[in-house]
Amino acid sequence: MADLRLLRMRCYWRLAVFRTGAVNAASGSAYAEIGDTKVIVSVFGPRESKKAMMYSDIGRLNCNVSYTTFATPVRGQGSDNKEFSSMLHKALEGAIILDSFPKTTVDVFALVLESGGSDLPVVISCASVALADAGIMMYDLVASVSVSCLGKNLVIDPVLEEESYQDGSLMISSMPSRDEVTQLTITGEWSTAKIHEAMMLCLDACSKLGKIMRSCLKEAALASQE
Amino acid sequence: MSVREWMVGLSAGEKHFIQGGIAQDLRADGRKRLTYRPIYVETGVIPQADGSAKVKMGATEVIASVKLDLARPNPSQPGKGKVSLFVSCSATAGPMFEGRGSEELSAELSVALQRCLLGGKSGAGAAFDPSCLSIVDGKLCWDAYIDGLVVSADGNLLDALGAAIKAALINTRVPVANVPAGASLDEDPDVDLSSQETTRIDTSGVPVIVTLTKVGRHYIVDATSEEESQMSSAVSVSINKERRICGLTKRGGAGLDPSIILDMISVASHVSEQLMNKLDSEIAAAEADEQM
């Protein structure tokens, strides 16, 4: 596996594909495929908040991430990732201009069709494309990337197998053109220098991923004009 | 954390006072930006648990307990006991925690603590080595259930819970289980727990959690809930004795510049040393008190 990984180190990133308009019923939607990880995200709203909600002069963001039962090698294992919904919320809320839709709610529903590693970063990136497709005002797209620490090596965009052996992981969600980090989580033991190295690696990858996401949106906009 | 939603409203004047004080390095309660409130630790507060502690930081009060259960180890990790960690917020701490109201906050605190204390998938960076919970390799082990309870909430819950869990782990006595020779362990194991002997968990690697709350252009430690309501974002870093980072969580909506995050990490690392020393002496004193 080490050789294969070296090869990927050079080409760096698994093949990333984004497509908008995956779900007709939604205000906006996107499908993302990065390597084996396949994710679909629908955005509904802005629409009226539930009755029980208190008055709010800024908009609300409601996020939900779920896994299909067949997404993981062992059936139904995806439900282990309960915290993903709140992590998606935190990664996106800093980028969305919530003042632009007061009193209303935007729902973001993500479904992981196939879990192939780096699931949450793919969900976050895909969700921001879907939000853009829905015409929700944002400061910038949110691109998200994780690295795994395996022994002394840093491995960007880890696959499922690499994630299961990792000593630590670092995930960054950032707005590439503003150079701002909206979410950062670290697990495992790290030295400050290593964190610095991993962050730079991730931010660089985020800006590259941001370009891919942007070009997908441009293509979709051009296609709709024709 | 959706602190803002359950905050008592502050007037514009009060907000200005808090923000201005932080900018001038003199906070509402007289502290400097990087000063903690006095910390009180009491260990062995729950007799039913194998280890427990109560930590007070100002009006924030939390309890942590460690409970050990005999179990069969996971086949993929035959020489290790399972460690699980959960936090709950009691409605006694405030009406906003009633019923399902505390669910979101509890889940957030649990995830952040798991990230800071349980380490990576391979176990690197964990607070303690779960192999010390093994009794018979692949057959029998202790499962550790670490529970945190928020009794009273006045900001900085994560640091307080981290400190309480550290104290509870130091306070934990693992009973020595004598397995009779030739006993079959495949069925219900017959284990002799009658001996009064206990061992301790090696807690030298347990990190402390330092949360830096960013208000305006400055960061503060140990924010009260009023100060937390004014934050733009907060970064919680868990740091061990070797000053290595064992986990990090960012909270709050606003984005941060990468260089600011790195600066916050280095400030947190600096602050952690003082906190670690203070906490260690408080815990040692509490342990000595309990033994008397």
Side-chain angles (χ1 to χ4, degrees), chain B residues 4-5 13 43 80 104 109 125 141 148 157 164 168 188 204 216 235-236 258-259 265:
Chain B
R4 258 160 273 179
E5 282 176 34
T43 54
K80 288 175 178 176
E104 194 189 330
L109 290 169
C141 67
L157 294 176
D188 259 344
S204 59
V235 172
S236 302
S259 62
I265 291 174

Side-chain angles (χ1 to χ4, degrees), chain A residues 143-162:
Chain A
S144 182
V145 172
S146 64
V147 287
S148 282
C149 187
L150 290 156
K152 279 189 175 138
N153 301 314
L154 288 177
V155 173
I156 197 160
D157 189 30
V159 297
L160 209 55
E161 201 188 3
E162 290 160 345

Side-chain angles (χ1 to χ4, degrees), chain A residues 83-99:
Chain A
E83 75 276 15
F84 278 15
S85 300
S86 73
M87 286 165 80
L88 174 64
H89 183 273
K90 274 178 225 143
L92 293 175
E93 69 172 342
I96 298 173
I97 307 174
L98 291 168
D99 304 316

Side-chain angles (χ1 to χ4, degrees), chain A residues 54 60 83 86-87 90 93-95 163-169 175 178-192 195-196 199-200 203, chain B residues 1 5 108 111 115 119-126 240 242-259 261-262 265-266 269:
Chain A
M54 265 194 310
R60 281 174 208 278
E83 75 276 15
S86 73
M87 286 165 80
K90 274 178 225 143
E93 69 172 342
E163 275 186 341
S164 63
Y165 292 112
Q166 70 191 10
D167 295 315
S169 96
M175 296 189 267
R178 285 166 65 97
D179 197 23
E180 259 183 31
V181 176
T182 60
Q183 186 53 267
L184 170 66
T185 57
I186 298 176
T187 55
E189 198 175 337
W190 299 73
S191 65
T192 319
I195 287 182
H196 189 269
M199 266 179 76
M200 292 308 133
L203 287 169
Chain B
M1 202 175 305
E5 282 176 34
E108 189 174 329
V111 169
R115 194 175 290 137
K121 283 248 168 63
S122 69
N240 64 14
E242 275 90 59
R243 286 180 84 167
R244 288 171 73 85
I245 284 115
C246 306
L248 186 149
T249 313
K250 177 181 170 294
R251 292 185 283 140
L256 281 177
D257 194 88
S259 62
I261 293 184
L262 289 170
I265 291 174
S266 74
S269 160

Side-chain angles (χ1 to χ4, degrees), chain B residues 9-19:
Chain B
L10 287 176
S11 70
E14 282 169 306
K15 285 179 193 169
H16 185 76
F17 185 72
I18 290 171
Q19 288 165 1

